[in-house]
Amino acid sequence: MDIRNFINTYVVFLIGLFLPWKRDFVVGQQSFATYPENVTVIEGGEVLLRCRINNRQGPVQWAYDGRPFGHVIDYSLPGYPRYSMVVNDEQGQFDFRIAQASLPEDDAKFECQVLGNPPLRSAALVTVISPPEAPRIQGITNGTVVEMSPGESQNLTCISNNGKPAAVLKWMRNSHQITDNVWNEVTDVSQKRENAKSMLMLKPNKEDNGIRVACEAHSAALPSPLVTAFYLSVLYAPGPPSISGYTSGDIIRKGDRVLLICVSYDGNPLASLRWKKNGVPIDLSFFTLDRERLAKNPHNFTAQPSDNNAVMRCEAHNSYMGRRGIPPLFTEVRLKVRFHPETVKIIGKDDVSEGNAVNLTCVSSNSNPPAAISWIADGHKVRQQSDTQEESTDGGYITKSMITLTVAEKRKNVVVYCQAVNSALGKSTMTTKTLTVLYPPEQPTILGYSDGTSIRAEQVQRLICMVIDGNPLPKVSWYKGDVEQTENVMVTNDQNAVSSQITILVGPSDNAANYSCRASNRATKAPLVAYISLTVHFPPYSVDVSSDPAIATAGNSVKLLCQSASSNPAAEITWLRNGRLVAGSTSDTVEGLFGGEMTNSYMLINLTEADDQSVITCRAKNQILEHTAYQDVTLNVQYKPVFSASIPTSIDVIEGAPLIVNYSAKGNPLDITYKWKKDGDKFTEIKGGLGEDHIHTENHVFKIFSAYKNDTGEYMLVGKNSVGSTSQSIKINVMFPAKVIHTTAKVTVKQGETAALECRCEGNPLPETIIAWSRENYDMSRAQITPGDNSVLTIPDVTKDDAGMFVCNAFNGIGEHSAAHLDLVVQFRPIIDQSPRFAKSASENGETARLLCIAQGHPDVSFVWTRGGARVNRSLEKFDMEFRKYDSTHYESILLVHTVTPIDYGEYTCMAQNALGTHKTTVRLMGTSRPDPPYAVTVVEKTFNSIKLTWTAGFDGGLRQVFRVRYRQATAPEVYHYIDVHPSNATEFNIPGLERNSVYQLSVMAYNKLGDSGYQTEEVTAKTASEIPAEEGILGIRRGSTKMPILLIVAISVAGAILLAINIMLIIYFVRYRKGKEDDDVAASETKSNTVEMYSHVDDLTRDDVSERTYADQPAPGSRSFYLDDANLENVNIYQGGSPTYKTFRETYASTPPRSPYGATPPRSPAVTTDFDFTDALHRQQHWRGKDPYMTYSRLQGSQGNVSLKRPVTPADRIRLPPAPPARSTSQLGDRHGKISNHMIATLPTQHQPRYGPDPTSMSRSPITAARGRPSLNAGPPEGGMLPRSMSTIPYSYHPDGVSACRSSSANPYSTRPSAMPPSPPLVVRPLRTNPRVTPRAYDYVDVSEESRPTMSLDILV
């Protein structure tokens, strides 16, 4: 900035020197026409300081606080992007503009300065003001409510920062300004801004409740003041509460509804009211009315005895009272309630022995006033001994009365009454008590068993105990010994007797057991008892087998003892070994439980290893009961470890792969320890070279984490337990992939010498063919190869074509191939490519020509260009050379001739040279021309519908050339097809869309903008394949192809014709079928009867013998059907028609002809074999005897088995006809075709629907039905019904010459949507080709012979 000011000052100085010389030429003195004026602007606004000058003689500039800036020549202000000058020199305007004024930069003095005679200066002050921040009251959030008490003072501070000038803060009470007790102050901050603070001491009273206190920030930079405010809530106590709805001393009755209302006025907040009853809160719900400034709590209750003398208090309080510790304000009333006793009860014994006395007490519930009590016993009034009254804690008084009664005669019971009366209310309450008179029963008797009778265990024995008389009836209990039996006991009470039956599932413990029946009531001092003892035969329910010793070793013997459980009579024991009977045991018996005997048996076994885990079975049998008990024991025979003979002893593993070997051995005990050895040395783990886990063993598991070739060897596993040890040998062979480990370096030989390339590898295994030599596009038969893991490839008499990269590939069937590349370099003198396309170069005058020279050779090749024997001078601007080396033998040199003139045309010589020799060729530079014809046209691939060509491009004439392929069928020599090749530089092309097994003649030409090269004189002949590969798709359509073969078009057309014929035949058939059915229905309706009665007589047939069965898998709701078994079918007779003809049901069913009303044998349910379906049989007989096939049969009526046949009345109770054909409609094709009405094809009647379930062969009901189930030929689809399915039609196209083409529009005969049409044949265009340079159209066209050139015609086949 200082440098710019220096330059401006220097320019002004120079102009000042010049001005005195020019002064004589200026008319008048310069002066200010408009002076800059002071401006005040809000931060971010724009400032325009005006400066207008009359008769300006010197340059003008502006100064910022005395510092000039800007250019006096162009009036630009570099470095000040927001500053600019508005200059109009003709009018003397030199205004200064400030954009987006900011603080503090633009708050300064700006001066307009004019140099000259006299010099002019005029300054103006720019004052930038900035709005302050929004005010905030410390400690109070905007919009909140602040609570205070009357007379309480609080200091409030309002702050508004960063304003210029400082904000003016005002305190407002609602809309009035507060001026008392207010202090303001202003403090400076950075960037010429100021902070404002105002303090207010607020001391409210009750009238200030709800006012809005605000702090406003005013500033010239603000359109309106900024405000923050809060609302003041002044808290004070409410007024005392008052109660209405009851006055102390009033009398209320129990059950009366009482409403007490408590009200308290004023207070902030309004009072919270609560009711207390006897000091306990009972109602805390209240509401407030802000408008009336009151709080109310209505308490509604029903008077109860507990409310008598209750004190009802209403308390009022609010948060202000709570903060100040002021107790709640309250008022209260005392209630008076009258009520009668709700209950009366008699206290005393419930029974009394004959001739004894009993004391009874009658107690009433609380009553106000007290109740009076009276007694009645057995219908007579009884004088009470005394009455007492006492006050109740629930309110009122309780009355008590006592009497003594004596029972002198034998009777069942005595009834006593007690009554309590409240005379003030005129209401009473009564209760009764029944006293039972006690006396004992007679001796019990046991029935159901005779002493000494034998009972089999597991049988059921019932014993009955009878007890007569007693009051109350006695309790009868069964005991087994001293244990009471409560399960399986059934007690029956009669008027004067009790019967108790116990059901016993007899077991061994019941043998010789004593059962007793005990009877007692409250009149007996001890139970009355009867006894009985049982005799039971029971089997042994278990056996126990033990061995001595418990664990034995192979070669020793073990003694087994089998002892049966107690049995009556004693059991016999036999032994089995693995399920087979074993002899050689001895037995004896001892006394057992429940009076039975236990049998002991002994057996001795000599043990071998095979006996381990053998199962020995002891079998104990009670011969009388034919019951057997079993016990199995598994022999535990110890022997040393044994390895399986089937485990492999030799293992192959691939290097890098993990190996886990599990060679567990069998032994007893199973606690076998294992040790591993390799080459005789013990080990548990082997670490790798980096210390990682490599080989790890754990007991019988051998694990190699990643096999390495050094792991090959013999390993030994030794298994040992407490009996002995055994060893097992394992051989591990690690196989690893072949890897090339050595090759010869780059081999360099001269042409004609012998080259030898060596490749050596390692691996396991090493087959003879482990190494294979290869090279792309090379005849490997020239090489001689030595097989094995050290293979040598020898090439005698090498040529330059033998040079290249050979691949040595090592593979032994494991892992990946290992390949190495060996470079064979053949040294030979340069050879230049002298193809015709490189012998010429072309360029227009003034352009740059490129002469290309390509050569092969080794060692490195260099190029020299000459013309007329003189070397081309690269130092001249006329010529440039480019050199490229593609690989070790291929090189390229390009001679660039700039700004070609006619004198530059001619021959240039390119010489390639290296250490072995030189080679020359001539390149002719000429003007642009038509291209040369391509050559070496070759067919490289043929399929059934395409031919692929390749060719070599000729000289392009110096311009971009495009290739065009021409082909024709040999059988149509006058018709050619042309295709332009894309991309244009491609030298191969695949011709698609050819006929299968056809001969084609092909040729290629090139053209550029100057013309074409013409086609080859000899065309290439090729024939497409005759077979279509499987991957080409159906009907020969290649995947992705857009053409449709003629075979597919013909197939679709034939299929459409067949579908059309089928549709016509179906229409004719169903129309005739419908007409025939209508005739049958008319004839049948004249003869069929409305009701068929069926009477059947079934001997000994009850309701339990008839079971319901559905006619089909899914019966209709509400329908029922029955079936009768074979025995009952014999007795069922059928009554038919009006004649008294009877026939048994089975005969009718058996005589059914093998046909059905639908032309096929009706199927029988697979679940019905010997039991015939009743309704199905009736339906068959009714229909096949010529009756109405639509009659259905309801159900068996009552116990007589009557069956009535009725017409169905609901859609669910009908028999459906065979499936009707779907309705079809035909499309209206146009004026040249006949019209077919949509209503000419109607569905068959749907009157008769199945009663018992859907017909599995039926289709959905047709929506077109008429009254009485007959179709209407003129009725359309019903409202809400299904639209009929439409049948597709075959569209015809009208040809003006009378020729029509027909194609099937859809493969679906029921679809009206046409399918995609096959592609039209290509347009046949016959143009007159006169200009060979015109690019042909994109589509194929046909070139006709020169002899017949007709005018252009266009035929489109649709």
Side-chain angles (χ1 to χ4, degrees), residues 14 158 268 278 336 372 385 469 568 582 623 701 852 903 935 1063 1095 1158:
L14 295 178
C158 180
N268 184 31
N278 296 328
K336 295 293 183 180
Q385 295 177 352
D469 209 358
N568 184 22
V582 179
Q623 297 296 337
V701 178
L852 180 62
I903 196 173
Y935 59 95
N1063 286 336
Y1095 302 92
Y1158 314 131

mmCIF file of all heavy atoms in Angstrom, residues 14 158 268 278 336 372 385 469 568 582 623 701 852 903 935 1063 1095 1158:
data_model
loop_
_atom_site.group_PDB
_atom_site.id
_atom_site.type_symbol
_atom_site.label_atom_id
_atom_site.label_comp_id
_atom_site.label_asym_id
_atom_site.label_seq_id
_atom_site.Cartn_x
_atom_site.Cartn_y
_atom_site.Cartn_z
ATOM 1 N N LEU A 14 4.658 15.207 -10.740
ATOM 2 C CA LEU A 14 4.962 15.452 -12.160
ATOM 3 C C LEU A 14 3.885 16.277 -12.813
ATOM 4 O O LEU A 14 4.177 17.189 -13.616
ATOM 5 C CB LEU A 14 5.130 14.125 -12.897
ATOM 6 C CG LEU A 14 6.327 13.264 -12.468
ATOM 7 C CD1 LEU A 14 6.337 11.960 -13.254
ATOM 8 C CD2 LEU A 14 7.641 14.025 -12.685
ATOM 9 N N CYS A 158 -30.485 -4.490 33.196
ATOM 10 C CA CYS A 158 -30.714 -4.745 31.767
ATOM 11 C C CYS A 158 -29.460 -4.336 31.007
ATOM 12 O O CYS A 158 -28.918 -3.233 31.225
ATOM 13 C CB CYS A 158 -31.928 -3.960 31.278
ATOM 14 S SG CYS A 158 -32.276 -4.209 29.514
ATOM 15 N N ASN A 268 -53.320 -14.813 45.771
ATOM 16 C CA ASN A 268 -52.488 -15.113 44.591
ATOM 17 C C ASN A 268 -51.335 -16.025 45.032
ATOM 18 O O ASN A 268 -50.478 -15.604 45.796
ATOM 19 C CB ASN A 268 -51.934 -13.838 43.966
ATOM 20 C CG ASN A 268 -51.163 -14.145 42.685
ATOM 21 O OD1 ASN A 268 -51.490 -15.086 41.982
ATOM 22 N ND2 ASN A 268 -50.147 -13.343 42.395
ATOM 23 N N ASN A 278 -62.669 -35.609 60.707
ATOM 24 C CA ASN A 278 -62.012 -35.965 61.973
ATOM 25 C C ASN A 278 -60.494 -35.863 61.855
ATOM 26 O O ASN A 278 -59.748 -36.717 62.361
ATOM 27 C CB ASN A 278 -62.439 -37.357 62.443
ATOM 28 C CG ASN A 278 -63.921 -37.442 62.762
ATOM 29 O OD1 ASN A 278 -64.523 -36.456 63.209
ATOM 30 N ND2 ASN A 278 -64.519 -38.605 62.525
ATOM 31 N N LYS A 336 -74.799 -34.833 62.626
ATOM 32 C CA LYS A 336 -75.661 -35.671 63.442
ATOM 33 C C LYS A 336 -76.420 -36.617 62.504
ATOM 34 O O LYS A 336 -77.177 -36.161 61.642
ATOM 35 C CB LYS A 336 -76.669 -34.827 64.237
ATOM 36 C CG LYS A 336 -76.034 -33.905 65.270
ATOM 37 C CD LYS A 336 -75.370 -34.710 66.405
ATOM 38 C CE LYS A 336 -74.803 -33.788 67.475
ATOM 39 N NZ LYS A 336 -74.165 -34.562 68.571
ATOM 40 N N ALA A 372 -83.861 -52.148 70.736
ATOM 41 C CA ALA A 372 -84.393 -53.062 71.744
ATOM 42 C C ALA A 372 -84.465 -54.463 71.159
ATOM 43 O O ALA A 372 -84.815 -54.631 69.988
ATOM 44 C CB ALA A 372 -85.776 -52.604 72.199
ATOM 45 N N GLN A 385 -82.605 -62.785 79.940
ATOM 46 C CA GLN A 385 -82.082 -62.607 81.296
ATOM 47 C C GLN A 385 -81.705 -61.149 81.542
ATOM 48 O O GLN A 385 -81.990 -60.584 82.592
ATOM 49 C CB GLN A 385 -80.884 -63.518 81.533
ATOM 50 C CG GLN A 385 -81.245 -64.995 81.493
ATOM 51 C CD GLN A 385 -80.026 -65.880 81.659
ATOM 52 O OE1 GLN A 385 -78.905 -65.388 81.655
ATOM 53 N NE2 GLN A 385 -80.256 -67.192 81.816
ATOM 54 N N ASP A 469 -78.121 -94.832 61.209
ATOM 55 C CA ASP A 469 -78.598 -93.948 62.264
ATOM 56 C C ASP A 469 -77.478 -93.004 62.720
ATOM 57 O O ASP A 469 -76.368 -93.014 62.207
ATOM 58 C CB ASP A 469 -79.168 -94.757 63.441
ATOM 59 C CG ASP A 469 -80.254 -93.959 64.175
ATOM 60 O OD1 ASP A 469 -80.497 -92.807 63.766
ATOM 61 O OD2 ASP A 469 -80.847 -94.498 65.110
ATOM 62 N N ASN A 568 -44.744 -113.374 45.892
ATOM 63 C CA ASN A 568 -45.630 -114.373 46.506
ATOM 64 C C ASN A 568 -46.412 -115.055 45.402
ATOM 65 O O ASN A 568 -47.261 -114.433 44.768
ATOM 66 C CB ASN A 568 -46.595 -113.710 47.497
ATOM 67 C CG ASN A 568 -47.448 -114.723 48.227
ATOM 68 O OD1 ASN A 568 -47.114 -115.892 48.346
ATOM 69 N ND2 ASN A 568 -48.597 -114.267 48.722
ATOM 70 N N VAL A 582 -28.040 -118.359 29.330
ATOM 71 C CA VAL A 582 -26.770 -118.883 29.844
ATOM 72 C C VAL A 582 -27.092 -119.869 30.982
ATOM 73 O O VAL A 582 -27.910 -119.565 31.860
ATOM 74 C CB VAL A 582 -25.860 -117.751 30.363
ATOM 75 C CG1 VAL A 582 -24.564 -118.323 30.921
ATOM 76 C CG2 VAL A 582 -25.577 -116.753 29.252
ATOM 77 N N GLN A 623 -44.278 -117.664 38.406
ATOM 78 C CA GLN A 623 -44.920 -118.599 37.477
ATOM 79 C C GLN A 623 -46.441 -118.507 37.542
ATOM 80 O O GLN A 623 -47.119 -118.700 36.523
ATOM 81 C CB GLN A 623 -44.462 -120.030 37.778
ATOM 82 C CG GLN A 623 -42.972 -120.263 37.574
ATOM 83 C CD GLN A 623 -42.553 -120.074 36.123
ATOM 84 O OE1 GLN A 623 -43.369 -120.182 35.205
ATOM 85 N NE2 GLN A 623 -41.272 -119.800 35.904
ATOM 86 N N VAL A 701 -4.186 -86.497 19.230
ATOM 87 C CA VAL A 701 -4.391 -85.616 18.077
ATOM 88 C C VAL A 701 -3.052 -85.020 17.674
ATOM 89 O O VAL A 701 -2.328 -84.458 18.506
ATOM 90 C CB VAL A 701 -5.408 -84.509 18.401
ATOM 91 C CG1 VAL A 701 -5.562 -83.570 17.208
ATOM 92 C CG2 VAL A 701 -6.754 -85.119 18.784
ATOM 93 N N LEU A 852 6.423 -42.422 -43.312
ATOM 94 C CA LEU A 852 6.606 -43.442 -42.283
ATOM 95 C C LEU A 852 7.568 -44.510 -42.779
ATOM 96 O O LEU A 852 7.439 -45.001 -43.906
ATOM 97 C CB LEU A 852 5.257 -44.082 -41.919
ATOM 98 C CG LEU A 852 5.276 -45.168 -40.856
ATOM 99 C CD1 LEU A 852 5.771 -44.610 -39.532
ATOM 100 C CD2 LEU A 852 3.874 -45.755 -40.692
ATOM 101 N N ILE A 903 7.179 -28.340 -54.918
ATOM 102 C CA ILE A 903 8.572 -28.740 -55.071
ATOM 103 C C ILE A 903 8.968 -29.845 -54.105
ATOM 104 O O ILE A 903 9.961 -30.539 -54.310
ATOM 105 C CB ILE A 903 9.485 -27.501 -54.897
ATOM 106 C CG1 ILE A 903 10.890 -27.801 -55.443
ATOM 107 C CG2 ILE A 903 9.542 -27.079 -53.431
ATOM 108 C CD1 ILE A 903 11.798 -26.568 -55.460
ATOM 109 N N TYR A 935 -6.175 -55.398 -49.517
ATOM 110 C CA TYR A 935 -5.709 -56.661 -50.065
ATOM 111 C C TYR A 935 -5.625 -57.679 -48.935
ATOM 112 O O TYR A 935 -5.843 -57.360 -47.770
ATOM 113 C CB TYR A 935 -4.358 -56.473 -50.759
ATOM 114 C CG TYR A 935 -3.256 -55.941 -49.876
ATOM 115 C CD1 TYR A 935 -2.361 -56.802 -49.236
ATOM 116 C CD2 TYR A 935 -3.088 -54.565 -49.693
ATOM 117 C CE1 TYR A 935 -1.359 -56.297 -48.422
ATOM 118 C CE2 TYR A 935 -2.089 -54.066 -48.900
ATOM 119 C CZ TYR A 935 -1.214 -54.942 -48.252
ATOM 120 O OH TYR A 935 -0.219 -54.447 -47.451
ATOM 121 N N ASN A 1063 -61.273 -72.763 -31.309
ATOM 122 C CA ASN A 1063 -62.280 -71.871 -30.726
ATOM 123 C C ASN A 1063 -63.611 -71.998 -31.449
ATOM 124 O O ASN A 1063 -64.680 -72.023 -30.832
ATOM 125 C CB ASN A 1063 -61.795 -70.424 -30.778
ATOM 126 C CG ASN A 1063 -60.710 -70.155 -29.754
ATOM 127 O OD1 ASN A 1063 -60.622 -70.857 -28.764
ATOM 128 N ND2 ASN A 1063 -59.896 -69.142 -29.992
ATOM 129 N N TYR A 1095 -88.767 -94.287 3.443
ATOM 130 C CA TYR A 1095 -89.057 -94.876 4.740
ATOM 131 C C TYR A 1095 -88.115 -96.031 4.953
ATOM 132 O O TYR A 1095 -87.933 -96.862 4.082
ATOM 133 C CB TYR A 1095 -90.511 -95.389 4.794
ATOM 134 C CG TYR A 1095 -91.537 -94.304 4.516
ATOM 135 C CD1 TYR A 1095 -91.996 -94.091 3.218
ATOM 136 C CD2 TYR A 1095 -91.975 -93.480 5.519
ATOM 137 C CE1 TYR A 1095 -92.915 -93.094 2.948
ATOM 138 C CE2 TYR A 1095 -92.903 -92.485 5.258
ATOM 139 C CZ TYR A 1095 -93.377 -92.295 3.963
ATOM 140 O OH TYR A 1095 -94.263 -91.313 3.706
ATOM 141 N N TYR A 1158 -72.719 -87.368 -16.503
ATOM 142 C CA TYR A 1158 -71.756 -86.532 -17.214
ATOM 143 C C TYR A 1158 -70.913 -87.339 -18.185
ATOM 144 O O TYR A 1158 -69.919 -86.865 -18.694
ATOM 145 C CB TYR A 1158 -70.840 -85.816 -16.205
ATOM 146 C CG TYR A 1158 -71.596 -85.205 -15.070
ATOM 147 C CD1 TYR A 1158 -71.218 -85.402 -13.753
ATOM 148 C CD2 TYR A 1158 -72.733 -84.433 -15.329
ATOM 149 C CE1 TYR A 1158 -71.940 -84.841 -12.721
ATOM 150 C CE2 TYR A 1158 -73.455 -83.880 -14.296
ATOM 151 C CZ TYR A 1158 -73.072 -84.072 -13.003
ATOM 152 O OH TYR A 1158 -73.774 -83.522 -11.987
#
